[in-house]
Amino acid sequence: MNFNCDTKRLNLRVLNGTEAKDVLRFYVDNRESFDPYEPERSENFFTEEFHRYILNYEYNQMCKGQMVRYYAYLKDQPTRLIGTISIRNIMRGSYQKCELGYKIATEYQGQGYGKEMVEKAVGISFFELNMHRVEAYCLPENARSIRLLKSIGFEPEGLIRDYVQIQGQFRDHVLFSILHP
């Protein structure tokens, strides 16, 4: 896997702890729009120290081939962080599957950047990681994310009851998957 890759309008980068300040700013600036879809965060999450630790941890996980998180920067504004996508819970052997998670900064939602990131991550999953199956989970009311997944070829498989605790309450999620062509 590469530490950097491009889509039409984005540069996707694996970061290390030196970029913690930029990642923290991304989460703080978008907290209001992310919170309804995320597990409850402690105030520690909103510190540079926390993100430095997480970035270093994820960087090491990437080096071991266990997961990868790319941060999306605009090609025409190379210091502008607008999103993130992760390939995680990579299972080898008989399973050959993984999960995707993604988010886009509020001001860039609905402009196709999420689709570019997800398409690239699916390609990496299939053709670099040799996955057979890629999964994504989303809240049933997250219409924008559901449209994005369906537009790429993900198919809904069903409702996973009480899948994740979000804002103090376990919430159902829809499981989507796409299979290697």
Side-chain angles (χ1 to χ4, degrees), residues 3-169:
F3 284 79
N4 292 293
C5 55
D6 290 327
T7 69
K8 182 178 178 183
R9 301 176 292 165
L10 299 172
N11 175 249
L12 304 178
R13 305 178 205 158
V14 175
L15 303 181
N16 62 38
T18 61
E19 288 94 356
K21 187 178 284 189
D22 293 338
V23 173
L24 173 60
R25 186 177 319 111
F26 170 74
Y27 281 103
V28 168
D29 290 351
N30 295 284
R31 186 175 185 176
E32 189 174 311
S33 68
F34 292 166
D35 275 356
Y37 304 100
E38 296 284 325
E40 204 166 326
R41 306 284 192 197
S42 70
E43 284 306 310
N44 184 46
F45 180 86
F46 296 98
T47 66
E48 196 172 327
E49 277 179 51
F50 178 87
H51 287 285
R52 185 175 301 107
Y53 172 81
I54 291 297
L55 288 169
N56 286 326
Y57 173 80
E58 290 178 342
Y59 184 89
N60 289 328
Q61 293 296 297
M62 160 72 171
C63 291
K64 295 175 185 176
Q66 296 176 338
M67 68 93 60
V68 62
R69 178 180 303 279
Y70 288 107
Y71 289 87
Y73 290 84
L74 295 173
K75 280 185 175 178
D76 62 357
Q77 296 177 53
T79 60
R80 182 68 174 133
L81 172 59
I82 69 156
T84 178
I85 187 158
S86 65
I87 303 169
R88 61 181 188 258
N89 294 333
I90 297 171
M91 296 179 73
R92 303 272 182 199
S94 299
Y95 292 97
Q96 292 302 111
K97 71 177 194 121
C98 62
E99 297 174 9
L100 297 184
Y102 52 90
K103 54 184 64 71
I104 293 286
T106 308
E107 67 183 286
Y108 294 95
Q109 291 176 4
Q111 300 175 44
Y113 293 109
K115 185 172 182 176
E116 283 183 41
M117 288 190 328
V118 173
E119 286 176 331
K120 187 67 171 183
V122 167
I124 290 168
S125 298
F126 288 151
F127 303 110
E128 292 181 37
L129 296 175
N130 299 311
M131 296 287 106
H132 173 71
R133 174 185 175 88
V134 178
E135 298 176 347
Y137 298 80
C138 70
L139 289 162
E141 66 270 20
N142 191 343
R144 184 174 271 166
S145 192
I146 289 171
R147 277 193 310 274
L148 183 156
L149 292 168
K150 286 182 174 180
S151 76
I152 294 169
F154 279 80
E155 294 184 22
E157 292 194 355
L159 189 68
I160 310 299
R161 297 180 311 129
D162 285 357
Y163 182 64
V164 177
Q165 192 173 14
I166 296 177
Q167 303 305 311
Q169 183 177 26

